Amino acid sequence: MILPRLLIPVETAAAETRVAVSPETIKKFIGLGCSVAIEQGAGASAGFVDSSYAEAGAELVAVGDAQAWGQADLLLCVQTPQQQALAKLRNGALVVGLLSPYSNESLTTSLKNCGLSAMALELLPRISRAQSADALSSQANIAGYKAVLLGAAALDRYFPMLMTAAGTVQPAKVVILGAGVAGLQAVATARRLGAVVFVSDIRPAVKEQVESLGARFIEPPEMDDKPAESGGYAKQASEAFLAAQRQQLSDQLAEADVAICTAQVPGRRAPRLISDDMLDRMRPGSVVVDLAVAQGGNCADTQPSQTVDRKGVKLIGANDLPCSVPNHASALYARNLLALLEPMFKDGQFSLDTEDELIAGCLIAQDGSIRRGDVLTPGAN
Ligand code: NAD
């Protein structure tokens, strides 16, 4: 492909406030020789006005403009556009975004029927060379930070220890389940606010990271069928292991003020770590923030995008936290996309080296043929 024409759409998924480019990254793409079209208003909810994109050199086009979609070589999005929008793209166009490959049923059909190529950022291998392009990390960091702020705002107590004329206030106790990117950021944020923090994870490597942030690590249950680990990710735990883990966590949670749930296993239902019985033992006024709610939830009774009052315990279903910090979430996501695509521009050409580990990992389809059938939901047709 000679230098590509980029199109950035208005995001259409419910509650999505982010955009895939910033004026800064548009300038860089133009510097690489691309031409850039962006739909009017695409950055409005992220705080990027149309004129800032125009000043950076982008051409503003009407939303859904068939000609602009038909001319695009590269569609940079946050979430998967609707099927009828994808159908406007030409054969061989490349779609890059957080395409939810594990749960996006219509995606396979669209990619095949429209002859599209696609890169799902969720599948980018977690290797050091990929760090600057790692959108899961940039967004999970935001989610971990915001989860603690939501928990602190909903709590009926202070976070820090305070010595006042009216007496001493003990610090809040925060229990964090899962110490991946979101969990570690939650630890750091809760510590900055002065809470005492306890962390549970099943990957042994996490212990040192947690302790270096000033939190205490809850050792996983000693059992023969401990869940395995691959590529830095936990594998699915057995039901017996999870039952032992719940029993172990029950006493910790009974004393907790806030629980932040971030435990996930890629492509699987999130492990259920807080049961109804455990919630019954929590103090009225305490708070659970469940970041895994869209994957089935770490906690019983949490509902996506809702706060449920369960016998005085507030259960916050926090599935779209990066969308609540849209300016920084977009700016970082935009840099992730630039870092991913920049190496593909060489000698005045844009090309996909499918032998490259990074590209091979996340290129789910090429010109309509499915390359990651192991991951994609088998769509109709
Ligand atoms: P994730 O969102 O898939 O999972 C979050 C955490 O939940 C993980 O730490 C996992 O071990 C934990 N978990 C799973 N089951 C659990 C259970 N039953 N109880 C308690 N905890 C449980 O993970 P993530 O945040 O995407 O990060 C996964 C790994 O990738 C981490 O090791 C991270 O350091 C690594 N990583 C590497 C790079 C890179 O090198 N490019 C970038 C980002 C992250």
Side-chain angles (χ1 to χ4, degrees):
M1 194 189 288
I2 324 222
L3 291 165
R5 180 163 174 83
L6 273 50
L7 175 66
I8 294 85
V10 168
E11 294 291 322
T12 48
E16 184 54 76
T17 54
R18 294 166 293 176
V19 60
V21 293
S22 61
E24 172 196 300
T25 63
I26 286 207
K27 270 190 206 148
K28 298 248 167 78
F29 278 118
I30 290 174
L32 290 168
C34 302
S35 59
V36 181
I38 183 164
E39 288 188 339
Q40 282 158 2
S45 47
F48 298 120
V49 293
D50 283 349
S51 58
S52 66
Y53 287 125
E55 274 161 32
E59 179 195 340
L60 289 155
V61 296
V63 176
D65 184 279
Q67 196 183 354
W69 281 73
Q71 286 174 345
D73 302 303
L74 237 78
L75 184 88
L76 303 186
C77 53
V78 181
Q79 296 196 50
T80 314
Q82 287 165 351
Q83 264 183 308
Q84 59 272 36
L86 289 175
K88 291 185 202 160
L89 291 169
R90 66 164 182 79
N91 273 2
L94 171 64
V95 180
V96 187
L98 289 165
L99 305 179
S100 304
Y102 297 111
S103 57
N104 193 336
E105 282 173 27
S106 61
L107 181 63
T108 316
T109 312
S110 288
L111 296 175
K112 278 189 189 168
N113 290 356
C114 309
L116 298 175
S117 301
M119 293 172 100
L121 293 173
E122 292 92 335
L123 300 178
L124 198 68
R126 277 351 231 306
I127 56 174
S128 9
R129 185 160 60 89
Q131 276 180 3
S132 53
D134 191 334
L136 283 188
S137 290
S138 68
Q139 306 303 298
N141 242 318
I142 293 178
Y145 156 81
K146 196 67 193 276
V148 173
L149 298 191
L150 285 183
L155 183 65
D156 59 356
R157 290 181 169 176
Y158 273 123
F159 255 42
M161 185 175 105
L162 288 178
M163 284 189 240
T164 76
T168 299
V169 171
Q170 292 306 317
K173 173 173 172 172
V174 175
V175 175
I176 295 176
L177 306 179
V181 178
L184 289 174
Q185 183 56 253
V187 174
T189 307
R191 291 287 301 139
R192 273 183 222 122
L193 288 176
V196 174
V197 181
F198 290 77
V199 179
S200 165
D201 199 300
I202 50 180
R203 290 182 300 116
V206 167
K207 180 175 182 216
E208 205 185 309
Q209 295 167 329
V210 162
E211 288 177 349
S212 71
L213 290 169
R216 290 173 221 177
F217 188 63
I218 306 169
E219 297 285 349
E222 271 310 323
M223 288 179 70
D224 289 341
D225 73 342
K226 256 194 202 162
E229 187 182 337
S230 110
Y233 285 114
K235 295 250 186 186
Q236 201 170 25
S238 70
E239 205 25 69
F241 180 90
L242 289 177
Q245 205 185 354
R246 283 193 291 269
Q247 195 165 11
Q248 179 200 38
L249 289 173
S250 188
D251 288 344
Q252 295 282 358
L253 287 163
E255 290 170 8
D257 294 299
V258 175
I260 309 274
C261 304
T262 77
Q264 302 219 34
V265 177
R268 303 286 178 150
R269 192 188 184 291
R272 178 53 57 86
L273 298 174
I274 307 182
S275 63
D276 276 305
D277 291 347
M278 293 158 82
L279 287 174
D280 284 341
R281 292 185 65 201
M282 287 185 77
R283 179 181 70 76
S286 61
V287 183
V288 178
V289 185
D290 193 350
L291 267 63
V293 65
Q295 284 72 40
N298 290 151
C299 177
D301 305 334
T302 48
Q303 300 294 331
S305 308
Q306 282 183 36
T307 298
V308 176
D309 187 318
R310 188 193 177 283
K311 300 183 196 166
V313 179
K314 291 196 188 91
L315 307 180
I316 302 179
N319 44 304
D320 47 16
L321 293 187
C323 296
S324 69
V325 189
N327 185 266
H328 272 162
S330 303
L332 295 170
Y333 180 78
R335 285 191 204 149
N336 292 144
L337 287 184
L338 178 70
L340 175 70
L341 296 171
E342 200 169 16
M344 300 177 204
F345 291 86
K346 276 189 204 122
D347 307 325
Q349 292 250 337
F350 176 81
S351 63
L352 281 177
D353 173 6
T354 53
E355 301 291 305
D356 183 309
E357 188 185 355
L358 293 192
I359 298 172
C362 64
L363 188 65
I364 54 175
Q366 192 170 23
D367 300 330
S369 92
I370 301 301
R371 289 174 50 97
R372 292 293 313 264
D374 56 322
V375 172
L376 278 181
T377 314
N381 308 330

